[in-house]
Amino acid sequence: MGKTKKLGPVARFRERGGASLRKVRAEIERLAKQVYECPKCEARAVKRQSVGIWKCKKCGYTFAGGAYTPTTKIGVIVKKPKET
Ligand SMILES: [Zn+2]
């Protein structure tokens, strides 16, 4: 008795931490690869050029935004659905 007790909680904790971290990274990559709406011509043609640089394929408008999304607002909305 008590043999499996020793490793159980530690192993489970490690697994959980790694899994959530991988999930966050996958979500960031998903956001970075998405096509966003252009603030100038409103066409869904904005793609990430590099970290923080976004360019509209339709009108050629280039602007600086968030590292993974053109506006940091998106992240706020996802995290806080109810804003007071
Ligand atoms: Zn545009």
Side-chain angles (χ1 to χ4, degrees), residues 3-35:
K3 246 187 180 180
T4 49
K5 251 187 189 175
K6 259 188 182 176
L7 279 166
V10 179
R12 223 159 69 193
F13 181 77
R14 273 192 182 172
E15 210 175 76
R16 270 185 67 186
S20 65
L21 227 139
R22 228 162 54 204
K23 216 175 162 186
V24 167
R25 277 196 67 176
E27 177 70 7
I28 285 167
E29 266 178 47
R30 193 180 67 82
L31 286 170
K33 281 173 186 170
Q34 264 185 359
V35 180

Side-chain angles (χ1 to χ4, degrees), residues 15-62:
E15 210 175 76
R16 270 185 67 186
S20 65
L21 227 139
R22 228 162 54 204
K23 216 175 162 186
V24 167
R25 277 196 67 176
E27 177 70 7
I28 285 167
E29 266 178 47
R30 193 180 67 82
L31 286 170
K33 281 173 186 170
Q34 264 185 359
V35 180
Y36 292 93
E37 204 169 88
C38 174
K40 205 179 178 188
C41 71
E42 292 185 331
R44 271 203 169 264
V46 172
K47 277 195 160 183
R48 202 177 82 132
Q49 296 296 293
S50 63
V51 178
I53 306 295
W54 300 82
K55 191 180 180 183
C56 173
K57 270 194 164 185
K58 204 184 178 190
C59 71
Y61 180 55
T62 310

